[in-house]
Amino acid sequence: MWAGSLFSIQVKMEFCLLWLALIVAVLEASQEEWSTVHLLEEPEFAAPINNLTVPVGREAILSCTVNHLGKYKVAWVRAEDQTVLSLHSKVVTHNSRIAVTHDNLSTWQLRIRQLKETDRGCYMCQINTQVMKIAEGCLDVFVPPDIINNDTSGDVSVSEGDNATLWCKATGHPTPRIVWKREDGQSIILRKSSRELTKEDTYNGTSLHFWRLERRQMGAYLCIASNDVPPAVSKRIALNVNFAPVIKVPNQLLGAPLNTDVQLECYVEAFPNTINYWVKNRGEMLLNGSKYQIQENRSGYKVVMWLVIRSFAEADVGTYNCVSTNSLGKAEGTLRLYKIKVGPNGNPNETLGMIGGFAEPARGHREASGGTSTAPSFVLVIICLLRYFMR
């Protein structure tokens, strides 16, 4: 009897062990299957977040694509200060320029409108798994250049021979480049040594240095700032070189026939601008009228003065002075006007004016013309000159 009982107990134990092994196998299979399903459903990023470069004032869109999101949530966070911008489909920041959109719970977009420089930085797309998953994309905000007026030179006035510096600074991102040009399109003249001058179409750098300035370096210069983000900006800076008047007279001795209109010329260089006038025989100033026509043409620091004497007569023979004056000084040019006789045919082209010992046709025309043109006699010219100087 005891033997039968022991056998029965042994059978039951083996049966229990068999069931236990079966249960363990089922549990292990179930655990393996659950783990596989769990791993397959774990959220993951489908692609990295692309970095963006966007001009200021535009809209930036950062995209985060997630596969198998399931029950988990997506959040956008500013990396610099860990500020939470959005949680799932809800914007939690008070910045009204920020919005979040999604497409079938797969692609989540962070939109920043009317970009500012302060929006520059990196942004994180986070999934709230047990071990948080993070993808990061960075945003660079380009800013067009802007010249800093408080840190840029204004118009400059110096005396001829002195040194001067023009400087120009600008803000922007990327850092702007500074290029200098002359407003009139001429070359920039720079002195490398006491005798060596160079000419450049443009000059690169924040500062433009001039050493021992000459009057021809005077002009308006453009500081142009650019950084490949339109638009480029510029500022006009005038460089004034001050010097006393200097007068050049091309025709110091001029002869003309009677009853012609005679034109006298003087060339003036000066800055600041000058007051210019004509006098005769060191007397009173000549004025525009029926007898005299006075004109001038100004170009920068250069002035051309003209005096036209109508119907040249005996009384008009004499010395004429062109006078130019400014705050730095005064200059005079002297012209001597004499009469000469015309040839037998009365042609005014037969007259000569003497300039520095060289003969040149006199300026002017007769009110009545006629006859044929013949070459003047050199002896006649000499006689006229002798008669003039022997008075």
Side-chain angles (χ1 to χ4, degrees):
M1 183 177 66
W2 283 104
S5 298
L6 288 173
F7 176 78
S8 177
I9 292 172
Q10 184 178 0
V11 170
K12 289 180 179 179
M13 288 182 64
E14 290 178 357
F15 182 78
C16 287
L17 290 173
L18 180 62
W19 272 103
L20 182 60
L22 181 61
I23 292 172
V24 169
V26 170
L27 289 175
E28 287 179 350
S30 299
Q31 178 67 30
E32 184 176 348
E33 183 180 357
W34 180 87
S35 298
T36 303
V37 173
H38 179 73
L39 289 173
L40 290 175
E41 292 181 350
E42 181 78 13
E44 60 183 9
F45 295 107
I49 301 175
N50 293 327
N51 296 330
L52 296 181
T53 298
V54 184
V56 68
R58 302 288 184 84
E59 181 182 30
I61 303 176
L62 293 167
S63 296
C64 176
T65 302
V66 181
N67 291 334
H68 313 303
L69 181 61
K71 63 181 180 179
Y72 297 101
K73 306 292 183 183
V74 173
W76 281 100
V77 178
R78 184 178 174 91
E80 181 180 8
D81 51 15
Q82 298 296 308
T83 300
V84 179
L85 304 177
S86 69
L87 185 58
H88 217 56
S89 60
K90 183 178 180 180
V91 176
V92 297
T93 181
H94 296 294
N95 190 340
S96 61
R97 297 182 296 108
I98 291 180
V100 63
T101 59
H102 61 88
D103 178 20
N104 297 325
L105 299 180
S106 175
T107 300
W108 299 79
Q109 293 182 330
L110 178 68
R111 295 174 175 267
I112 308 175
R113 299 185 300 272
Q114 299 174 1
L115 277 174
K116 298 181 180 180
E117 283 192 78
T118 53
D119 296 322
R120 186 183 298 120
C122 295
Y123 295 82
M124 298 185 299
C125 176
Q126 296 181 348
I127 306 173
N128 64 337
T129 51
Q130 185 174 1
V131 177
M132 184 176 294
K133 294 188 175 183
I134 298 174
E136 186 175 275
C138 296
L139 171 64
D140 195 4
V141 180
F142 275 8
V143 181
D146 186 26
I147 292 176
I148 309 172
N149 288 322
N150 293 336
D151 205 6
T152 298
S153 60
D155 293 346
V156 177
S157 293
V158 296
S159 298
E160 191 169 33
D162 288 349
N163 303 331
T165 299
L166 307 182
W167 69 93
C168 181
K169 293 185 179 180
T171 60
H173 181 77
T175 301
R177 303 177 297 274
I178 302 297
V179 176
W180 295 89
K181 292 182 179 180
R182 280 187 64 111
E183 186 181 49
D184 56 11
Q186 297 183 15
S187 298
I188 298 175
I189 301 175
L190 298 174
R191 184 181 297 277
K192 287 191 173 182
S193 65
S194 58
R195 294 184 179 181
E196 183 181 2
L197 293 172
T198 62
K199 292 185 177 182
E200 306 288 345
D201 292 334
T202 61
Y203 180 85
N204 299 322
T206 57
S207 298
L208 182 58
H209 301 284
F210 295 96
W211 179 49
R212 291 176 57 185
L213 273 164
E214 296 182 4
R215 62 193 65 179
R216 57 180 173 159
Q217 294 172 290
M218 183 190 312
Y221 292 80
L222 298 177
C223 155
I224 304 171
S226 61
N227 63 353
D228 300 325
V229 184
V233 293
S234 65
K235 182 177 180 180
R236 181 182 186 273
I237 302 173
L239 174 62
N240 298 320
V241 181
N242 300 322
F243 59 98
V246 176
I247 292 182
K248 297 178 181 179
V249 180
N251 297 357
Q252 294 181 344
L253 185 60
L254 184 63
L258 298 177
N259 299 318
T260 61
D261 291 349
V262 185
Q263 178 173 289
L264 285 63
E265 293 181 354
C266 288
Y267 297 91
V268 181
E269 293 184 1
F271 194 86
N273 289 339
T274 53
I275 297 174
N276 307 310
Y277 57 93
W278 292 86
V279 296
K280 177 186 176 185
N281 296 330
R282 301 290 178 179
E284 295 182 356
M285 182 187 305
L286 302 181
L287 302 176
N288 257 324
S290 58
K291 183 63 179 177
Y292 302 111
Q293 180 183 355
I294 299 173
Q295 293 180 323
E296 65 178 49
N297 180 31
R298 189 180 302 273
S299 177
Y301 62 88
K302 297 181 179 180
V303 179
V304 182
M305 299 174 59
W306 291 290
L307 171 65
V308 177
I309 304 173
R310 295 191 178 95
S311 300
F312 178 59
E314 292 275 0
D316 297 321
V317 172
T319 301
Y320 293 81
N321 292 94
C322 52
V323 184
S324 181
T325 179
N326 67 6
S327 59
L328 300 178
K330 179 180 180 181
E332 292 186 3
T334 301
L335 302 89
R336 292 181 174 86
L337 181 59
Y338 64 94
K339 70 173 183 176
I340 59 176
K341 293 181 180 180
V342 297
N345 297 322
N347 195 318
N349 289 331
E350 296 176 351
T351 63
L352 294 179
M354 299 300 295
I355 308 169
F358 295 92
E360 169 180 287
R363 304 171 186 269
H365 61 275
R366 298 185 68 90
E367 294 179 349
S369 62
T372 59
S373 175
T374 59
S377 167
F378 184 74
V379 176
L380 178 62
V381 174
I382 297 299
I383 293 173
C384 291
L385 290 175
L386 289 174
R387 291 181 59 186
Y388 175 77
F389 287 107
M390 292 176 63
R391 291 181 180 179

